[in-house]
Amino acid sequence: MPRDIPVGNNKFLICFDRDYLIRDMYFPHVGQENHSNGNRFRFGILMDGKFSWIDRAWRKHLTYEEDTLVTRVRLSHPDFPLALTCRDTVDFHENIYLREIEVHNLLSEKRTVEVFLCQDFDLYGNSVGDTAAYDPRSGGLVHYKASRYFLVNGSSQTLDRLSQFAVGNKGTGGKEGTFKDAEDGRLSGNPIAQGSVDSVVSLRIDLEAKGSSSAYYWICAGEDWKEVCRLDGLVKHKHPRSLIQRTADYWKLWLKKENPPLDYLPKAVQMLYNRSLLVLRTHLDSQGGIIAGNDSDVVAYNRDTYSYIWPRDAALVANALDLAGYPMAPQRFYEFAARVIEKEGYLLHKYNPDGTLASSWHPWFDGAGPQLPIQEDETALVIWALWQHFVLYRDIEFIKPLYRGLIKRAADFMVSYRDEKSGLPSPSYDLWEERRGVLTYTVGAVFGGLTAASLFCNVLGETDKAELYRKSAAEIRDAASRHLWREELGRFCRMMNNPRKDPAEVDTRCDASLWGLFAFGMYTPDDPRVQATMDALHQKLWIPSSVGGMARYEEDDYYRASRELTGNPWFVSTLWFADYLIRKAAAVEDLQEPEKILEWVAQQALPSGVLAEQIHPLTGEPLSVSPLTWSHGTFVSVAQEYMRRMSLLKGIADERSRDWIGRLFSSTCKAIHGSCRVK
């Protein structure tokens, strides 16, 4: 089930499902320790002796307040004469989750409503050894284990404290959980339980006829009892509404720091551009990790999640944030990459937010001997993205400590990790993590990475190294032209195995990742070979249904929804084709088709603006992880490319566009094209 409305602050992340239930709660690293473990934090209503949990019978509209990370959720039920409007956020500065619950009485007589909220923690991701206890000093409940503490509290305009509470055991001894205690409207008041535990609190709200009143609920996260009590005191002193408002104001200010010419884009695309930046912000960890996705429901597919840092995804998202004018998070990611890169110069499959090595299915042994279990594009794209960052911000003091340990170390590896006879990079795993060989996409990424390293060495005066990296990149491009361009296909192939063999083992399937031919500078978008390849991709991979969009590759079985179609539409695949159309546009009229694709993406987003990894080709429903930072980052990048191209084609007609494009695409950017010709 998609996570429609994530809210967070780089240390404390809350993710809701489509039923408006908290399902994922990460602290103190975004994406690492999920203290709710996918459990449902139930939310219920008692009115006139009738009780209901917020479930599928309730009508829900899950959105955000415009340009903020404060939600606006509307709830109603045909059997309850009331309407609820809720606002959720995580304070931008303190590790406090807050909810305002405004209840509207639809009757012409007074009523009392009681709101019930269940906390179903599994601290550190498991339920062994948890404790939940009532804290008489704060009047709240504290769930804790080791150095993870969560204080739950609330108040209302009727009562400045919790109305009722109870803690108890769950999933043991035949006990479903303390949430069952709420269903008769009376909580036991049990003050402590240990082991596998949950808790429930309630808030009383007295309503005038046709009137409205509010209640407030908050969870403070910390590493000891004293810290969460301090945060609880802050909420009471400042008032929850004040903290929610200051957070809304902060995010509006954060979003307005840049002023790109969004008016070139349709209104729906403008809105999704801003929302994408905010969604990306929720998935950035304070220690530099850029998390791929924090939807724990994907665990059901293979008993693992997307809550990791893939260097490729992170590098592309970092580049999107750089283009959008937000360099601090990319800087932290590049520093993260410098900390985790192997001494030999390569990055491994994926990492946890604390920098430790994450789970992997790439083997170190192929049955005949050792192999590197890497996706080489992940190493290359970090260096490529770092050069783009330097071009934009020219922060030489930031680059200096990364030059030897990250840039040259990775470039030296890319130079050495090549097949001597063909000149191509040695085999590695593809970006989809399914096959091993010499991927055309990876070849393009390595070209971009080595070119970037050469340019770094040039500007820093190390000309010998610059020439080595430039020459290696040129040889790789020449090898791609010899081996990966296939006359018999009239286009580039997806992959080769054993390029020395005659005939070589060629994977001829169309794959959207062939976008990498031009994306990192190996060829230009108007190269006839690139055009032939992209035309073939569009013909083979565009989904012929009312939904549309482009699949990853032919006969893609990952979450495949229809055997009659070649696969499901992916947002990144579809946006890559739009990027191609934008880059080769020669007139304003040429931007009409990619503009329609950007509008298509906006139409397929959830009402909140969240983008999944892929969607059902017949219904448009989100599939796999939602949100996916790769989807949002690609949308931001392609929207930026559209605005840049429109500005150029219009002759940079106004001062605002001129200032923006002058910063974004200085003449230094041109250095990457044509710099790798063999002398």
Side-chain angles (χ1 to χ4, degrees), residues 364-402:
W364 293 81
F365 182 75
D366 67 357
Q371 65 175 17
L372 282 182
I374 64 169
Q375 301 162 38
E376 194 182 1
D377 69 301
E378 299 202 282
T379 301
L381 290 183
V382 170
I383 309 307
W384 170 84
L386 184 56
W387 171 254
Q388 311 306 311
H389 171 89
F390 178 68
V391 166
L392 290 168
Y393 300 104
R394 305 179 188 182
D395 44 1
I396 188 65
E397 294 293 339
F398 170 69
I399 294 297
K400 179 183 173 183
L402 304 179

mmCIF file of all heavy atoms in Angstrom, residues 364-402:
data_model
loop_
_atom_site.group_PDB
_atom_site.id
_atom_site.type_symbol
_atom_site.label_atom_id
_atom_site.label_comp_id
_atom_site.label_asym_id
_atom_site.label_seq_id
_atom_site.Cartn_x
_atom_site.Cartn_y
_atom_site.Cartn_z
ATOM 1 N N TRP A 364 29.970 -12.710 -4.610
ATOM 2 C CA TRP A 364 31.410 -12.482 -4.751
ATOM 3 C C TRP A 364 32.088 -13.635 -5.495
ATOM 4 O O TRP A 364 33.276 -13.549 -5.822
ATOM 5 C CB TRP A 364 32.054 -12.334 -3.371
ATOM 6 C CG TRP A 364 31.644 -11.122 -2.622
ATOM 7 C CD1 TRP A 364 30.502 -10.935 -1.889
ATOM 8 C CD2 TRP A 364 32.366 -9.888 -2.515
ATOM 9 N NE1 TRP A 364 30.467 -9.680 -1.342
ATOM 10 C CE2 TRP A 364 31.614 -9.011 -1.696
ATOM 11 C CE3 TRP A 364 33.596 -9.441 -3.009
ATOM 12 C CZ2 TRP A 364 32.035 -7.717 -1.384
ATOM 13 C CZ3 TRP A 364 34.021 -8.151 -2.697
ATOM 14 C CH2 TRP A 364 33.242 -7.306 -1.894
ATOM 15 N N PHE A 365 31.339 -14.686 -5.792
ATOM 16 C CA PHE A 365 31.882 -15.888 -6.432
ATOM 17 C C PHE A 365 30.891 -16.329 -7.491
ATOM 18 O O PHE A 365 29.683 -16.446 -7.223
ATOM 19 C CB PHE A 365 32.071 -16.983 -5.384
ATOM 20 C CG PHE A 365 32.659 -18.257 -5.911
ATOM 21 C CD1 PHE A 365 34.008 -18.357 -6.216
ATOM 22 C CD2 PHE A 365 31.848 -19.376 -6.099
ATOM 23 C CE1 PHE A 365 34.545 -19.540 -6.694
ATOM 24 C CE2 PHE A 365 32.376 -20.567 -6.586
ATOM 25 C CZ PHE A 365 33.738 -20.650 -6.881
ATOM 26 N N ASP A 366 31.359 -16.544 -8.727
ATOM 27 C CA ASP A 366 30.445 -16.862 -9.827
ATOM 28 C C ASP A 366 30.390 -18.351 -10.163
ATOM 29 O O ASP A 366 29.859 -18.738 -11.198
ATOM 30 C CB ASP A 366 30.833 -16.073 -11.083
ATOM 31 C CG ASP A 366 32.174 -16.504 -11.660
ATOM 32 O OD1 ASP A 366 32.838 -17.382 -11.066
ATOM 33 O OD2 ASP A 366 32.560 -15.968 -12.720
ATOM 34 N N GLY A 367 30.935 -19.198 -9.289
ATOM 35 C CA GLY A 367 30.959 -20.630 -9.538
ATOM 36 C C GLY A 367 32.273 -21.101 -10.100
ATOM 37 O O GLY A 367 32.653 -22.265 -9.936
ATOM 38 N N ALA A 368 32.980 -20.186 -10.772
ATOM 39 C CA ALA A 368 34.294 -20.535 -11.321
ATOM 40 C C ALA A 368 35.417 -19.798 -10.623
ATOM 41 O O ALA A 368 36.570 -20.241 -10.636
ATOM 42 C CB ALA A 368 34.322 -20.211 -12.820
ATOM 43 N N GLY A 369 35.098 -18.675 -10.029
ATOM 44 C CA GLY A 369 36.132 -17.886 -9.369
ATOM 45 C C GLY A 369 35.545 -16.628 -8.773
ATOM 46 O O GLY A 369 34.344 -16.370 -8.865
ATOM 47 N N PRO A 370 36.388 -15.789 -8.156
ATOM 48 C CA PRO A 370 35.895 -14.563 -7.528
ATOM 49 C C PRO A 370 35.475 -13.530 -8.569
ATOM 50 O O PRO A 370 35.962 -13.530 -9.705
ATOM 51 C CB PRO A 370 37.096 -14.084 -6.713
ATOM 52 C CG PRO A 370 38.280 -14.670 -7.399
ATOM 53 C CD PRO A 370 37.831 -15.984 -7.956
ATOM 54 N N GLN A 371 34.551 -12.659 -8.169
ATOM 55 C CA GLN A 371 34.134 -11.554 -9.021
ATOM 56 C C GLN A 371 33.762 -10.372 -8.123
ATOM 57 O O GLN A 371 33.461 -10.551 -6.945
ATOM 58 C CB GLN A 371 32.926 -11.927 -9.894
ATOM 59 C CG GLN A 371 31.657 -12.202 -9.095
ATOM 60 C CD GLN A 371 30.438 -12.443 -9.975
ATOM 61 O OE1 GLN A 371 30.556 -12.723 -11.168
ATOM 62 N NE2 GLN A 371 29.265 -12.325 -9.390
ATOM 63 N N LEU A 372 33.787 -9.174 -8.674
ATOM 64 C CA LEU A 372 33.339 -8.003 -7.929
ATOM 65 C C LEU A 372 31.816 -7.903 -8.036
ATOM 66 O O LEU A 372 31.275 -7.820 -9.153
ATOM 67 C CB LEU A 372 33.980 -6.732 -8.485
ATOM 68 C CG LEU A 372 35.429 -6.452 -8.101
ATOM 69 C CD1 LEU A 372 35.879 -5.125 -8.698
ATOM 70 C CD2 LEU A 372 35.611 -6.439 -6.591
ATOM 71 N N PRO A 373 31.110 -7.879 -6.909
ATOM 72 C CA PRO A 373 29.643 -7.830 -6.940
ATOM 73 C C PRO A 373 29.142 -6.388 -7.010
ATOM 74 O O PRO A 373 28.468 -5.892 -6.105
ATOM 75 C CB PRO A 373 29.262 -8.492 -5.615
ATOM 76 C CG PRO A 373 30.373 -8.094 -4.689
ATOM 77 C CD PRO A 373 31.617 -8.023 -5.532
ATOM 78 N N ILE A 374 29.499 -5.712 -8.089
ATOM 79 C CA ILE A 374 29.198 -4.284 -8.181
ATOM 80 C C ILE A 374 28.319 -3.980 -9.379
ATOM 81 O O ILE A 374 28.211 -4.768 -10.320
ATOM 82 C CB ILE A 374 30.491 -3.446 -8.291
ATOM 83 C CG1 ILE A 374 31.247 -3.775 -9.585
ATOM 84 C CG2 ILE A 374 31.380 -3.644 -7.067
ATOM 85 C CD1 ILE A 374 32.387 -2.817 -9.898
ATOM 86 N N GLN A 375 27.712 -2.809 -9.329
ATOM 87 C CA GLN A 375 27.095 -2.177 -10.484
ATOM 88 C C GLN A 375 27.983 -0.959 -10.765
ATOM 89 O O GLN A 375 27.936 0.026 -10.033
ATOM 90 C CB GLN A 375 25.666 -1.758 -10.171
ATOM 91 C CG GLN A 375 24.774 -2.915 -9.749
ATOM 92 C CD GLN A 375 23.509 -2.451 -9.040
ATOM 93 O OE1 GLN A 375 22.921 -1.458 -9.406
ATOM 94 N NE2 GLN A 375 23.107 -3.194 -8.011
ATOM 95 N N GLU A 376 28.800 -1.031 -11.798
ATOM 96 C CA GLU A 376 29.836 -0.013 -11.954
ATOM 97 C C GLU A 376 29.257 1.370 -12.203
ATOM 98 O O GLU A 376 29.902 2.383 -11.901
ATOM 99 C CB GLU A 376 30.814 -0.384 -13.069
ATOM 100 C CG GLU A 376 32.069 0.473 -13.020
ATOM 101 C CD GLU A 376 33.050 0.174 -14.138
ATOM 102 O OE1 GLU A 376 32.773 -0.699 -14.984
ATOM 103 O OE2 GLU A 376 34.114 0.838 -14.162
ATOM 104 N N ASP A 377 28.055 1.443 -12.734
ATOM 105 C CA ASP A 377 27.455 2.764 -12.934
ATOM 106 C C ASP A 377 27.312 3.515 -11.617
ATOM 107 O O ASP A 377 27.327 4.744 -11.583
ATOM 108 C CB ASP A 377 26.100 2.637 -13.623
ATOM 109 C CG ASP A 377 25.034 2.003 -12.748
ATOM 110 O OD1 ASP A 377 25.227 0.857 -12.307
ATOM 111 O OD2 ASP A 377 24.012 2.653 -12.491
ATOM 112 N N GLU A 378 27.193 2.783 -10.489
ATOM 113 C CA GLU A 378 27.022 3.450 -9.197
ATOM 114 C C GLU A 378 28.284 4.218 -8.805
ATOM 115 O O GLU A 378 28.197 5.307 -8.222
ATOM 116 C CB GLU A 378 26.670 2.427 -8.125
ATOM 117 C CG GLU A 378 25.376 1.682 -8.413
ATOM 118 C CD GLU A 378 24.760 1.086 -7.162
ATOM 119 O OE1 GLU A 378 25.255 0.036 -6.706
ATOM 120 O OE2 GLU A 378 23.797 1.679 -6.634
ATOM 121 N N THR A 379 29.439 3.666 -9.103
ATOM 122 C CA THR A 379 30.687 4.385 -8.856
ATOM 123 C C THR A 379 30.821 5.564 -9.810
ATOM 124 O O THR A 379 31.131 6.692 -9.404
ATOM 125 C CB THR A 379 31.885 3.434 -9.030
ATOM 126 O OG1 THR A 379 31.759 2.335 -8.121
ATOM 127 C CG2 THR A 379 33.197 4.152 -8.775
ATOM 128 N N ALA A 380 30.567 5.314 -11.080
ATOM 129 C CA ALA A 380 30.772 6.343 -12.102
ATOM 130 C C ALA A 380 29.853 7.541 -11.906
ATOM 131 O O ALA A 380 30.284 8.697 -12.051
ATOM 132 C CB ALA A 380 30.549 5.731 -13.486
ATOM 133 N N LEU A 381 28.597 7.290 -11.572
ATOM 134 C CA LEU A 381 27.636 8.390 -11.515
ATOM 135 C C LEU A 381 27.868 9.319 -10.337
ATOM 136 O O LEU A 381 27.499 10.495 -10.385
ATOM 137 C CB LEU A 381 26.211 7.836 -11.489
ATOM 138 C CG LEU A 381 25.757 7.190 -12.794
ATOM 139 C CD1 LEU A 381 24.310 6.734 -12.701
ATOM 140 C CD2 LEU A 381 25.926 8.147 -13.968
ATOM 141 N N VAL A 382 28.469 8.817 -9.269
ATOM 142 C CA VAL A 382 28.805 9.706 -8.154
ATOM 143 C C VAL A 382 29.811 10.758 -8.627
ATOM 144 O O VAL A 382 29.680 11.953 -8.314
ATOM 145 C CB VAL A 382 29.351 8.904 -6.960
ATOM 146 C CG1 VAL A 382 29.922 9.844 -5.893
ATOM 147 C CG2 VAL A 382 28.252 8.036 -6.355
ATOM 148 N N ILE A 383 30.812 10.346 -9.404
ATOM 149 C CA ILE A 383 31.824 11.294 -9.892
ATOM 150 C C ILE A 383 31.211 12.225 -10.935
ATOM 151 O O ILE A 383 31.478 13.435 -10.944
ATOM 152 C CB ILE A 383 33.039 10.545 -10.472
ATOM 153 C CG1 ILE A 383 33.548 9.491 -9.466
ATOM 154 C CG2 ILE A 383 34.143 11.519 -10.834
ATOM 155 C CD1 ILE A 383 33.838 10.037 -8.080
ATOM 156 N N TRP A 384 30.383 11.678 -11.808
ATOM 157 C CA TRP A 384 29.688 12.512 -12.805
ATOM 158 C C TRP A 384 28.840 13.578 -12.117
ATOM 159 O O TRP A 384 28.903 14.772 -12.463
ATOM 160 C CB TRP A 384 28.815 11.615 -13.693
ATOM 161 C CG TRP A 384 27.895 12.381 -14.585
ATOM 162 C CD1 TRP A 384 28.183 12.919 -15.812
ATOM 163 C CD2 TRP A 384 26.527 12.721 -14.315
ATOM 164 N NE1 TRP A 384 27.083 13.571 -16.315
ATOM 165 C CE2 TRP A 384 26.056 13.457 -15.418
ATOM 166 C CE3 TRP A 384 25.655 12.465 -13.260
ATOM 167 C CZ2 TRP A 384 24.747 13.950 -15.483
ATOM 168 C CZ3 TRP A 384 24.357 12.950 -13.318
ATOM 169 C CH2 TRP A 384 23.909 13.683 -14.420
ATOM 170 N N ALA A 385 28.053 13.170 -11.122
ATOM 171 C CA ALA A 385 27.177 14.118 -10.430
ATOM 172 C C ALA A 385 27.981 15.149 -9.654
ATOM 173 O O ALA A 385 27.598 16.326 -9.567
ATOM 174 C CB ALA A 385 26.230 13.366 -9.492
ATOM 175 N N LEU A 386 29.115 14.722 -9.095
ATOM 176 C CA LEU A 386 29.950 15.647 -8.335
ATOM 177 C C LEU A 386 30.516 16.739 -9.247
ATOM 178 O O LEU A 386 30.619 17.904 -8.841
ATOM 179 C CB LEU A 386 31.078 14.873 -7.645
ATOM 180 C CG LEU A 386 32.001 15.664 -6.719
ATOM 181 C CD1 LEU A 386 31.222 16.381 -5.626
ATOM 182 C CD2 LEU A 386 33.039 14.728 -6.098
ATOM 183 N N TRP A 387 30.872 16.379 -10.478
ATOM 184 C CA TRP A 387 31.344 17.407 -11.413
ATOM 185 C C TRP A 387 30.223 18.387 -11.737
ATOM 186 O O TRP A 387 30.448 19.610 -11.784
ATOM 187 C CB TRP A 387 31.880 16.772 -12.697
ATOM 188 C CG TRP A 387 32.179 17.807 -13.751
ATOM 189 C CD1 TRP A 387 31.469 18.077 -14.879
ATOM 190 C CD2 TRP A 387 33.262 18.749 -13.733
ATOM 191 N NE1 TRP A 387 32.029 19.111 -15.582
ATOM 192 C CE2 TRP A 387 33.136 19.550 -14.893
ATOM 193 C CE3 TRP A 387 34.317 18.993 -12.856
ATOM 194 C CZ2 TRP A 387 34.022 20.582 -15.204
ATOM 195 C CZ3 TRP A 387 35.204 20.024 -13.161
ATOM 196 C CH2 TRP A 387 35.056 20.804 -14.313
ATOM 197 N N GLN A 388 29.011 17.890 -11.964
ATOM 198 C CA GLN A 388 27.892 18.795 -12.229
ATOM 199 C C GLN A 388 27.695 19.745 -11.049
ATOM 200 O O GLN A 388 27.400 20.934 -11.223
ATOM 201 C CB GLN A 388 26.604 18.005 -12.482
ATOM 202 C CG GLN A 388 26.697 16.866 -13.487
ATOM 203 C CD GLN A 388 27.247 17.295 -14.825
ATOM 204 O OE1 GLN A 388 26.794 18.294 -15.402
ATOM 205 N NE2 GLN A 388 28.221 16.557 -15.334
ATOM 206 N N HIS A 389 27.852 19.217 -9.830
ATOM 207 C CA HIS A 389 27.739 20.044 -8.633
ATOM 208 C C HIS A 389 28.806 21.146 -8.657
ATOM 209 O O HIS A 389 28.510 22.319 -8.376
ATOM 210 C CB HIS A 389 27.905 19.170 -7.386
ATOM 211 C CG HIS A 389 28.021 19.941 -6.112
ATOM 212 N ND1 HIS A 389 26.922 20.302 -5.366
ATOM 213 C CD2 HIS A 389 29.110 20.438 -5.457
ATOM 214 C CE1 HIS A 389 27.332 20.989 -4.310
ATOM 215 N NE2 HIS A 389 28.648 21.083 -4.344
ATOM 216 N N PHE A 390 30.031 20.789 -8.993
ATOM 217 C CA PHE A 390 31.116 21.769 -9.008
ATOM 218 C C PHE A 390 30.878 22.843 -10.069
ATOM 219 O O PHE A 390 31.136 24.033 -9.852
ATOM 220 C CB PHE A 390 32.450 21.063 -9.248
ATOM 221 C CG PHE A 390 33.616 22.005 -9.328
ATOM 222 C CD1 PHE A 390 34.041 22.711 -8.208
ATOM 223 C CD2 PHE A 390 34.281 22.201 -10.533
ATOM 224 C CE1 PHE A 390 35.108 23.593 -8.290
ATOM 225 C CE2 PHE A 390 35.350 23.075 -10.613
ATOM 226 C CZ PHE A 390 35.764 23.773 -9.491
ATOM 227 N N VAL A 391 30.372 22.440 -11.224
ATOM 228 C CA VAL A 391 30.075 23.401 -12.284
ATOM 229 C C VAL A 391 29.056 24.431 -11.796
ATOM 230 O O VAL A 391 29.179 25.638 -12.062
ATOM 231 C CB VAL A 391 29.543 22.669 -13.534
ATOM 232 C CG1 VAL A 391 28.912 23.650 -14.520
ATOM 233 C CG2 VAL A 391 30.665 21.906 -14.222
ATOM 234 N N LEU A 392 28.058 23.965 -11.061
ATOM 235 C CA LEU A 392 26.996 24.858 -10.603
ATOM 236 C C LEU A 392 27.442 25.782 -9.486
ATOM 237 O O LEU A 392 27.079 26.962 -9.458
ATOM 238 C CB LEU A 392 25.797 24.029 -10.131
ATOM 239 C CG LEU A 392 24.999 23.305 -11.211
ATOM 240 C CD1 LEU A 392 24.048 22.309 -10.588
ATOM 241 C CD2 LEU A 392 24.239 24.307 -12.066
ATOM 242 N N TYR A 393 28.241 25.265 -8.551
ATOM 243 C CA TYR A 393 28.507 26.015 -7.325
ATOM 244 C C TYR A 393 29.973 26.403 -7.133
ATOM 245 O O TYR A 393 30.267 27.238 -6.281
ATOM 246 C CB TYR A 393 27.992 25.216 -6.120
ATOM 247 C CG TYR A 393 26.510 24.967 -6.230
ATOM 248 C CD1 TYR A 393 26.019 23.717 -6.596
ATOM 249 C CD2 TYR A 393 25.603 25.996 -6.026
ATOM 250 C CE1 TYR A 393 24.660 23.503 -6.741
ATOM 251 C CE2 TYR A 393 24.246 25.790 -6.168
ATOM 252 C CZ TYR A 393 23.774 24.539 -6.527
ATOM 253 O OH TYR A 393 22.428 24.333 -6.675
ATOM 254 N N ARG A 394 30.893 25.774 -7.883
ATOM 255 C CA ARG A 394 32.310 26.145 -7.895
ATOM 256 C C ARG A 394 32.888 26.245 -6.481
ATOM 257 O O ARG A 394 33.681 27.142 -6.178
ATOM 258 C CB ARG A 394 32.492 27.459 -8.650
ATOM 259 C CG ARG A 394 31.914 27.391 -10.061
ATOM 260 C CD ARG A 394 32.062 28.658 -10.825
ATOM 261 N NE ARG A 394 31.311 28.582 -12.084
ATOM 262 C CZ ARG A 394 31.289 29.540 -12.999
ATOM 263 N NH1 ARG A 394 32.010 30.633 -12.820
ATOM 264 N NH2 ARG A 394 30.576 29.408 -14.090
ATOM 265 N N ASP A 395 32.474 25.315 -5.648
ATOM 266 C CA ASP A 395 32.886 25.323 -4.241
ATOM 267 C C ASP A 395 34.172 24.515 -4.074
ATOM 268 O O ASP A 395 34.153 23.387 -3.592
ATOM 269 C CB ASP A 395 31.769 24.809 -3.338
ATOM 270 C CG ASP A 395 31.081 23.569 -3.888
ATOM 271 O OD1 ASP A 395 31.488 23.090 -4.964
ATOM 272 O OD2 ASP A 395 30.133 23.093 -3.258
ATOM 273 N N ILE A 396 35.262 25.119 -4.454
ATOM 274 C CA ILE A 396 36.539 24.419 -4.480
ATOM 275 C C ILE A 396 36.955 23.930 -3.098
ATOM 276 O O ILE A 396 37.583 22.873 -2.959
ATOM 277 C CB ILE A 396 37.634 25.331 -5.094
ATOM 278 C CG1 ILE A 396 38.924 24.548 -5.315
ATOM 279 C CG2 ILE A 396 37.867 26.561 -4.266
ATOM 280 C CD1 ILE A 396 38.821 23.443 -6.318
ATOM 281 N N GLU A 397 36.594 24.662 -2.043
ATOM 282 C CA GLU A 397 36.940 24.230 -0.697
ATOM 283 C C GLU A 397 36.227 22.934 -0.332
ATOM 284 O O GLU A 397 36.741 22.125 0.442
ATOM 285 C CB GLU A 397 36.607 25.324 0.316
ATOM 286 C CG GLU A 397 37.432 26.591 0.168
ATOM 287 C CD GLU A 397 38.899 26.375 0.498
ATOM 288 O OE1 GLU A 397 39.213 25.394 1.207
ATOM 289 O OE2 GLU A 397 39.739 27.182 0.054
ATOM 290 N N PHE A 398 35.026 22.740 -0.879
ATOM 291 C CA PHE A 398 34.310 21.488 -0.638
ATOM 292 C C PHE A 398 34.942 20.341 -1.418
ATOM 293 O O PHE A 398 35.074 19.222 -0.915
ATOM 294 C CB PHE A 398 32.842 21.643 -1.032
ATOM 295 C CG PHE A 398 32.076 20.348 -1.038
ATOM 296 C CD1 PHE A 398 31.787 19.686 0.146
ATOM 297 C CD2 PHE A 398 31.676 19.762 -2.231
ATOM 298 C CE1 PHE A 398 31.106 18.481 0.142
ATOM 299 C CE2 PHE A 398 30.995 18.560 -2.246
ATOM 300 C CZ PHE A 398 30.712 17.921 -1.051
ATOM 301 N N ILE A 399 35.356 20.607 -2.650
ATOM 302 C CA ILE A 399 35.912 19.559 -3.515
ATOM 303 C C ILE A 399 37.279 19.097 -3.027
ATOM 304 O O ILE A 399 37.628 17.909 -3.124
ATOM 305 C CB ILE A 399 36.008 20.069 -4.970
ATOM 306 C CG1 ILE A 399 34.603 20.313 -5.548
ATOM 307 C CG2 ILE A 399 36.791 19.096 -5.848
ATOM 308 C CD1 ILE A 399 33.754 19.064 -5.656
ATOM 309 N N LYS A 400 38.063 19.999 -2.491
ATOM 310 C CA LYS A 400 39.454 19.693 -2.148
ATOM 311 C C LYS A 400 39.621 18.392 -1.354
ATOM 312 O O LYS A 400 40.415 17.526 -1.746
ATOM 313 C CB LYS A 400 40.064 20.872 -1.387
ATOM 314 C CG LYS A 400 41.504 20.653 -0.951
ATOM 315 C CD LYS A 400 42.014 21.836 -0.127
ATOM 316 C CE LYS A 400 43.384 21.536 0.442
ATOM 317 N NZ LYS A 400 43.870 22.638 1.306
ATOM 318 N N PRO A 401 38.898 18.169 -0.231
ATOM 319 C CA PRO A 401 39.119 16.923 0.528
ATOM 320 C C PRO A 401 38.574 15.681 -0.161
ATOM 321 O O PRO A 401 38.892 14.568 0.256
ATOM 322 C CB PRO A 401 38.393 17.192 1.856
ATOM 323 C CG PRO A 401 37.392 18.241 1.544
ATOM 324 C CD PRO A 401 37.995 19.096 0.482
ATOM 325 N N LEU A 402 37.772 15.843 -1.213
ATOM 326 C CA LEU A 402 37.215 14.691 -1.934
ATOM 327 C C LEU A 402 38.076 14.292 -3.127
ATOM 328 O O LEU A 402 37.878 13.212 -3.705
ATOM 329 C CB LEU A 402 35.799 15.009 -2.432
ATOM 330 C CG LEU A 402 34.766 15.450 -1.388
ATOM 331 C CD1 LEU A 402 33.431 15.742 -2.070
ATOM 332 C CD2 LEU A 402 34.584 14.382 -0.321
#
